[in-house]
Amino acid sequence: MDFDFAFMFEAFLAALHYLPTTLLLGFLPLVFGSIIGLGIALIRHYKIPILSVLFKWFVTIFKAIPVVLILLVSYLVFSDSVDKIADSLSWSIRFSDLDRRWIAIFALTLYATSGLSEIFRGALASIPKGQIDAAYSIGLTNIQVLRRVMIPQVIPLALPLLNNTLISLIKASSLVSMVSVVDILNGALIEANVNYRYLEAYIAVSLIYWAVCAAIEAVTAGYGKYANKSRRRQFA
Amino acid sequence: MIEIKNISKSFGKNNILKGIDLSINKGEVVVILGPSGSGKSTFLRCLNFLERADAGEISIDQTKVEFNKAKSKEILALRRKTAMVFQQYDLFHHKSAIENIVEGLIIARKIPKHKAYEIGMDLLDKVGLKEKRDAYPHQLSGGQQQRIGIARALALTPEVILFDEPTSALDPELVGETLDVIKKVAQTGVTMIIVTHEMSFAYEIADRVIFMEDGVVVEEGTPKEVFEQTREERTKQFLARFAYAR
Ligand SMILES: Nc1ncnc2c1ncn2[C@@H]1O[C@H](COP(=O)(O)OP(=O)(O)OP(=O)(O)O)[C@@H](O)[C@H]1O
Ligand SMILES: [Mg+2]
């Protein structure tokens, strides 16, 4: 078997061109999912009636659905409803004009949210109850307790755990060709379609995924060291 | 003047507080004694609504609040007249010593920052921890943490400070310094309710001692009356357990 290093490099460059898309598909769902996930975690932490039960089911269900299915169903729902909704609101937007990446971001957000909400829920639960009592005892309101005591301790606790989610998202983003988004994988495959040198293309892309994930791990490790050094939050 | 009437609290079927009355004069130091599980912590926690009592009322300085009916505004107002010192100190872990002290002033009381920090530094001095201004809780010993906890309570110049076993989580050699700070604060005329198992400290600091068991006040009087001229059999039994420790 001959392995064409030159073509691998070519595919590598072609794929690299789409790195921003892959990063976008990793980071945006992480950010959106974290915001929504924190909201869900708070609703469940405070046991807000109806909503907390609703989101409990949301989390249970979405934890069990493969990301491919979320992606495909989102695509079908969007393709079916965007034109209708746009018509009824007399917007000029068409489904065919829509950047497909938004569908991917939507689906990946849905995929990440349940796990993220569990991370934040765990972090919320690990704040010592006594500190919250103390915060109320000095006369803070519910919102102030949340903003001044809980959130500032939840974020640093959750942050290092987000790297796993980000890595899952980056890897899951390789499926977006199913909704015709070109990411690094798809970009390399387009190159290989010409000469059928798929192995070279796959390996080239693997290298990029590996480098991205290694970078994420390095940043996390650096943060962990920083957090340990400043040791601002230790839960005795 | 603080007046507490008929405070009752159950957890499920367990009736923990069975109608406790207590009135406290300004500047008075009341020590509550009682066996484990008698409801001492629950009593203190009900006073500032960390637990919601089922019945009873409290008035501090003409403001009367019924425990079971209080709205969040009244609860907040009441909490701003009280402060609490906790057994486990419960400092905010993500804040330095001084930040712990000024938090309530700046956020709850809306006092300007520089003013709050001035007050905070004075209090750090008072509890003997001026040099620990920027230390985080995990960098402080238990005794130091508790002294910061006391400063945090004092900062709010509350009508009454509630102490729930302030030294029972401390190593024996750190108890003394913490009790000394509490004594010093008591001398400045701050009204206090203190739950403690430190009998000689109770004897020394209390204007009035209350012995509580099973959610009721069994006996009440000056330290001399309760410790030396004990009337109730149950109090005698309880105190006998500490006879050697004294
Ligand atoms: N949140 C709660 N839910 C259910 N039961 C509780 C709760 N808090 C306290 N209790 C119960 O109420 C009773 C009184 O507890 P409390 O903490 O007031 O006692 P205490 O006098 O402070 O005891 P100790 O000296 O051990 O601190 C105990 O039997 C305890 O189990
Ligand atoms: Mg207790």
Side-chain angles (χ1 to χ4, degrees):
Chain A
M1 194 177 97
D2 67 326
F3 190 88
D4 187 344
F5 278 101
F7 178 71
M8 187 186 93
F9 189 63
E10 220 172 276
F12 183 84
L13 289 181
L16 216 48
H17 184 70
Y18 292 98
L19 185 59
T21 297
T22 291
L23 292 179
L24 206 67
L25 293 176
F27 278 98
L28 279 188
L30 184 76
V31 171
F32 295 152
S34 292
I35 295 167
I36 303 168
L38 181 58
I40 293 176
L42 286 170
I43 285 169
R44 294 187 65 192
H45 184 77
Y46 286 114
K47 302 197 172 65
I48 293 175
I50 304 172
L51 283 182
S52 64
V53 179
L54 213 70
F55 281 119
K56 184 178 169 223
W57 280 105
F58 169 88
V59 169
T60 314
I61 290 168
F62 274 90
K63 247 202 277 188
I65 301 179
V67 61
V68 190
L69 289 179
I70 302 179
L71 212 53
L72 291 174
V73 170
S74 303
Y75 184 82
L76 287 178
V77 170
F78 268 83
S79 65
D80 206 46
S81 56
V82 167
D83 287 356
K84 283 186 204 153
I85 292 172
D87 278 344
S88 69
L89 295 172
S90 56
W91 289 347
S92 56
I93 195 173
R94 295 281 95 184
F95 177 70
S96 45
D97 308 330
L98 193 71
D99 187 338
R100 300 289 151 90
R101 288 185 297 185
W102 286 112
I103 299 171
I105 288 166
F106 174 86
L108 290 171
T109 300
L110 220 47
Y111 159 70
T113 296
S114 59
L116 289 166
S117 82
E118 294 289 82
I119 289 175
F120 284 113
R121 210 158 67 94
L124 279 170
S126 72
I127 298 176
K129 176 92 174 34
Q131 277 189 58
I132 295 163
D133 284 344
Y136 282 118
S137 82
I138 59 170
L140 303 193
T141 61
N142 287 329
I143 298 287
Q144 288 169 338
V145 172
L146 193 62
R147 226 188 49 227
R148 306 283 310 177
V149 177
M150 297 176 76
I151 302 287
Q153 298 192 68
V154 160
I155 303 286
L157 266 178
L159 222 48
L161 302 176
L162 298 188
N163 81 325
N164 283 330
T165 312
L166 181 58
I167 288 172
S168 312
L169 278 168
I170 297 275
K171 291 193 288 193
S173 74
S174 62
L175 298 165
V176 294
S177 64
M178 306 188 96
V179 294
S180 40
V181 172
V182 184
D183 68 328
I184 52 174
L185 175 59
N186 220 355
L189 291 182
I190 291 169
E191 283 299 290
N193 281 340
V194 184
N195 56 8
Y196 302 108
R197 289 204 170 267
Y198 288 111
L199 181 65
E200 284 85 347
Y202 286 138
I203 288 177
V205 180
S206 299
L207 287 175
I208 300 179
Y209 279 118
W210 174 79
V212 169
C213 291
I216 294 168
E217 292 285 12
V219 169
T220 313
Y223 171 81
K225 243 189 219 150
Y226 157 81
N228 271 342
K229 213 157 148 199
S230 67
R231 301 267 283 183
R232 285 177 142 230
R233 47 243 134 199
Q234 175 183 317
F235 291 82
Chain B
M1 171 100 171
I2 298 163
E3 198 133 9
I4 300 152
K5 276 194 204 139
N6 192 32
I7 182 167
S8 314
K9 171 75 184 168
S10 300
F11 288 111
K13 284 214 169 80
N14 293 333
N15 197 350
I16 305 300
L17 300 178
K18 301 168 181 160
I20 292 180
D21 299 317
L22 180 62
S23 42
I24 304 166
N25 294 315
K26 207 166 182 62
E28 201 178 2
V29 176
V30 174
V31 168
I32 300 178
L33 307 176
S36 181
S38 56
K40 307 179 299 291
S41 298
T42 306
F43 177 67
L44 292 189
R45 292 170 59 80
C46 284
L47 294 186
N48 62 359
F49 284 89
L50 291 179
E51 303 289 354
R52 171 78 85 151
D54 306 323
E57 60 182 51
I58 179 170
S59 49
I60 299 182
D61 251 13
Q62 330 303 339
T63 328
K64 192 164 93 180
V65 181
E66 284 181 64
F67 287 113
N68 59 345
K69 290 190 190 135
K71 304 258 178 347
S72 45
K73 247 205 184 117
E74 292 169 284
I75 293 175
L76 209 59
L78 187 91
R79 281 193 183 135
R80 287 178 182 178
K81 290 181 193 285
T82 62
M84 191 150 179
V85 174
F86 297 85
Q87 184 173 0
Q88 301 292 340
Y89 339 125
D90 293 326
L91 298 183
F92 307 125
H93 290 231
H94 59 304
K95 291 184 189 295
S96 66
I98 185 83
E99 287 168 348
N100 264 278
I101 297 171
V102 299
E103 180 74 7
L105 289 173
I106 296 171
I107 305 302
R109 297 279 163 90
K110 312 273 186 243
I111 287 176
K113 251 191 185 151
H114 68 276
K115 191 90 211 304
Y117 273 80
E118 246 169 57
I119 297 171
M121 282 312 290
D122 273 356
L123 287 168
L124 273 177
D125 198 22
K126 205 171 190 175
V127 298
L129 291 174
K130 217 169 181 171
E131 75 287 1
K132 295 293 183 186
R133 182 198 144 111
D134 296 313
Y136 283 87
H138 70 272
Q139 298 166 321
L140 298 170
S141 73
Q144 291 170 337
Q145 287 188 55
Q146 192 57 298
R147 280 143 70 193
I148 299 295
I150 293 167
R152 176 174 68 182
L154 281 173
L156 305 162
T157 51
E159 299 286 329
V160 57
I161 303 184
L162 314 169
F163 291 82
D164 190 3
E165 300 194 31
T167 59
S168 50
L170 294 174
D171 291 339
E173 72 270 21
L174 300 177
V175 170
E177 62 180 55
T178 311
L179 293 181
D180 286 343
V181 168
I182 300 175
K183 283 182 213 162
K184 214 167 94 188
V185 173
Q187 279 158 14
T188 63
V190 179
T191 314
M192 299 178 174
I193 305 178
I194 306 174
V195 171
T196 184
H197 290 300
E198 298 285 335
M199 293 302 154
S200 54
F201 166 70
Y203 190 93
E204 193 181 333
I205 200 173
D207 296 310
R208 188 152 35 122
V209 175
I210 286 174
F211 175 69
M212 203 172 136
E213 194 173 47
D214 289 332
V216 293
V217 173
V218 175
E219 182 160 359
E220 177 173 354
T222 63
K224 222 182 171 79
E225 285 167 349
V226 174
F227 284 108
E228 287 162 18
Q229 299 145 22
T230 318
R231 279 168 284 140
E232 299 291 330
E233 196 51 40
R234 287 153 82 187
T235 319
K236 279 181 193 157
Q237 281 171 9
F238 174 78
L239 290 175
R241 279 190 261 150
F242 292 90
Y244 298 102
R246 250 209 293 162

